[in-house]
Amino acid sequence: MKKKLLSTILQAIVFYALPVIATSVLLYYLVIWLRLIPPQSVTMAAGKPGSAYHEVAVAYQKVLAEDGITLKIIETAGSAENRDLMDNPDGKADIALIQGGITSTNPELNALAAVFPEPLLTFARSDKATSGNPGEWDGYRVATGSTGGGTRAVVQQLAHITGVPALSSDSDFNNQEASEALVRGDLDIAFFVAPLSAPYLQPLYNSTEIKLLPLQHARALANQLPEARWIELYGGAIRYSPAYPPETVPLITMVTKLVARDNLHPALVNRLVRAMIRVHMKPGPLVMDYSFPNTELLDMKADIYSAKLLREGFSPLESFIPYWMAAQINRFAILLLPIVFLLLPLFKVLPALVAWRMRARVYRYYDRLHEIDLQLSDQSDKKPDKEEREKLSKELEEIEAGLRDESLPLRYREQAYIASGHVGFVRRKLQPNR
């Protein structure tokens, strides 16, 4: 009795428990391999606290937290340092804000979107009759941004284009420090590449001792700067009363993008696009041809999934299933779409191929059937004797049996019956009176 019970238990383990365990292990490794479950955190290279980039990162952080995703912020000097972190394959950052014109050497990066414009702003003390031509700034105290920041990168490019010594200042003020120093009178001129809403710019807008200085020949300079655009900041765009700026100012403008590693989980891409839309899709003082976020103003390749979301919107499935499941469905749809297009011609040819294959299974008997028919024909030089006729009769029976045993769909069975009729036609030639 005990042996029988033990045998029953062993059978249950072999036939039920082991398959369940094997299936569970397979599903587990499949989930890991396909990365079906998204990570719950992402690391972003932004900027120093108080900078525009850091404020944007904090805004993303709040939106991502709604889905239980933790955004870890790396404090940096700005765009150039962010680029360096992303260029490093072992870098700590998954995503980063990088200013237009600051190029990457890492081919494994994609841009999720262009997120906001960053004009090159030049502020000067009002107590000096400062020209808009940097060639006339000899002796001026000029802040050109901090090492590793986007402002320094653009001003260095301007220095290279113009050859003006004043643009090659070795000062190392970050944007916050430059703003404070200009208000105190420790600087005469300061450059900023930043969104107009940057907090450190507000004291400059409000101070009667500081003026926004239009650069001369801004349009010509914009044409020579990588990925720069020339636009106009209309009078009263920043503040209506009293109007600031008091009149229209021409500006050189860069466009900042959110860059990600190409192995970033699609569910995180989904939520980051949602965060970008929440944070950046709003009217601003700068009028450009495209609203933000967008992929039209990118200076590097766009992430396929991000571009699709911005173009077509989010999947209706997100109303019924978790966002990460909808993201995976969309991911596989993007991957399978090229395959479907490649296979589409095959789908059209496939029915003809199947029909040819089914007929070929019947037609292969005709070679021998035709040979037998020729042997029995009136034109044959050598008529078969009785023994040969019996042998040919047996061959015809084998052909007929082969046709009968062929496994053919009903629509192609007709070919086998037609061939059997032809076998009967040849068999009649074996009759003695023939």
Side-chain angles (χ1 to χ4, degrees):
M1 183 70 178
K2 290 183 178 179
K3 289 184 178 180
K4 187 175 180 180
L5 179 61
L6 183 60
S7 176
T8 304
I9 293 172
L10 289 175
Q11 287 180 6
I13 292 172
V14 171
F15 291 106
Y16 297 102
L18 288 181
V20 169
I21 293 171
T23 302
S24 300
V25 171
L26 179 63
L27 287 174
Y28 172 78
Y29 282 104
L30 192 63
V31 166
I32 298 298
W33 181 60
L34 293 176
R35 300 194 306 151
L36 297 180
I37 305 298
Q40 291 302 299
S41 66
V42 61
T43 304
M44 177 177 178
K48 294 183 182 296
S51 69
Y53 282 14
H54 194 275
E55 287 208 338
V56 169
V58 170
Y60 290 170
Q61 194 176 53
K62 292 177 181 177
V63 178
L64 293 174
E66 296 174 4
D67 291 299
I69 300 171
T70 302
L71 178 65
K72 300 174 184 177
I73 302 173
I74 300 175
E75 297 177 8
T76 68
S79 281
E81 186 177 346
N82 292 353
R83 184 269 318 275
D84 293 341
L85 284 172
M86 296 299 287
D87 277 353
N88 183 356
D90 301 322
K92 300 177 182 178
D94 301 311
I95 59 175
L97 289 169
I98 299 179
Q99 179 182 292
I102 296 181
T103 57
S104 169
T105 58
N106 187 349
E108 297 179 351
L109 299 182
N110 295 325
L112 299 186
V115 288
F116 54 83
E118 283 195 288
L120 172 64
L121 302 169
T122 310
F123 289 93
R125 297 283 305 178
S126 300
D127 51 10
K128 287 193 175 184
T130 305
S131 164
N133 186 341
E136 301 176 11
W137 293 354
D138 290 342
Y140 282 74
R141 298 165 296 174
V142 182
T144 58
S146 60
T147 303
T151 300
R152 173 65 64 87
V154 172
V155 177
Q156 284 180 337
Q157 290 169 342
L158 282 177
H160 177 72
I161 292 168
T162 61
V164 172
L167 299 178
S168 301
S169 168
D170 57 359
S171 66
D172 198 27
F173 293 92
N174 64 37
N175 286 347
Q176 181 68 43
E177 294 166 346
S179 174
E180 294 170 357
L182 191 62
V183 171
R184 287 195 308 267
D186 295 338
L187 288 172
D188 300 315
I189 301 169
F191 285 101
F192 301 87
V193 176
L196 295 174
S197 59
Y200 47 77
L201 296 179
Q202 307 311 310
L204 304 181
Y205 299 152
N206 296 329
S207 174
T208 57
E209 298 178 344
I210 307 296
K211 62 182 178 181
L212 180 59
L213 184 66
L215 285 180
Q216 290 182 7
H217 316 300
R219 192 163 200 166
L221 293 174
N223 288 338
Q224 298 176 73
L225 275 173
E227 302 302 324
R229 289 164 177 79
W230 179 86
I231 63 172
E232 291 183 328
L233 176 64
Y234 296 127
I238 294 175
R239 186 180 61 226
Y240 186 73
S241 180
Y244 194 92
E247 56 188 20
T248 298
V249 178
L251 292 177
I252 298 169
T253 299
M254 320 305 290
V255 175
T256 296
K257 53 194 174 286
L258 183 62
V259 175
R261 300 189 186 278
D262 61 7
N263 62 353
L264 187 67
H265 197 281
L268 290 179
V269 174
N270 178 289
R271 294 297 89 179
L272 284 167
V273 170
R274 177 172 173 267
M276 288 188 292
I277 291 172
R278 289 266 295 273
V279 174
H280 303 296
M281 191 172 279
K282 56 185 70 171
L286 287 177
V287 179
M288 299 191 71
D289 294 335
Y290 300 94
S291 60
F292 292 91
N294 66 70
T295 54
E296 285 79 11
L297 297 178
L298 291 175
D299 56 357
M300 62 185 295
K301 63 179 179 179
D303 179 88
I304 295 174
Y305 183 40
S306 176
K308 183 175 185 295
L309 286 174
L310 290 171
R311 185 176 61 252
E312 301 176 8
F314 293 90
S315 171
L317 292 174
E318 291 188 24
S319 303
F320 309 99
I321 59 176
Y323 73 89
W324 58 268
M325 292 179 67
Q328 292 288 13
I329 292 171
N330 285 337
R331 171 197 178 194
F332 286 116
I334 291 173
L335 292 174
L336 290 174
L337 199 58
I339 298 174
V340 170
F341 277 114
L342 289 174
L343 292 178
L344 199 57
L346 180 60
F347 293 150
K348 293 182 178 179
V349 175
L350 194 58
L353 290 174
V354 171
W356 173 83
R357 181 68 186 119
M358 293 299 105
R359 292 190 181 100
R361 289 166 64 177
V362 174
Y363 294 159
R364 62 195 178 100
Y365 294 98
Y366 274 92
D367 283 340
R368 183 54 185 153
L369 186 61
H370 182 57
E371 290 174 2
I372 296 172
D373 187 35
L374 289 176
Q375 284 182 262
L376 299 175
S377 67
D378 295 334
Q379 286 77 25
S380 176
D381 296 333
K382 183 181 178 182
K383 299 292 183 181
D385 56 24
K386 181 178 180 182
E387 184 179 344
E388 288 176 340
R389 284 176 178 271
E390 288 177 356
K391 185 178 178 181
L392 293 175
S393 178
K394 188 174 181 181
E395 280 194 62
L396 290 174
E397 288 176 3
E398 290 174 356
I399 292 174
E400 196 169 37
L403 288 168
R404 185 170 55 250
D405 294 338
E406 283 291 345
S407 178
L408 296 169
L410 288 177
R411 64 180 299 181
Y412 301 108
R413 173 56 60 184
E414 177 186 6
Q415 301 295 325
Y417 283 113
I418 293 173
S420 295
H422 294 160
V423 172
F425 171 78
V426 175
R427 182 183 285 115
R428 286 196 294 271
K429 293 184 178 183
L430 286 171
Q431 295 174 6
N433 59 352
R434 298 275 309 167

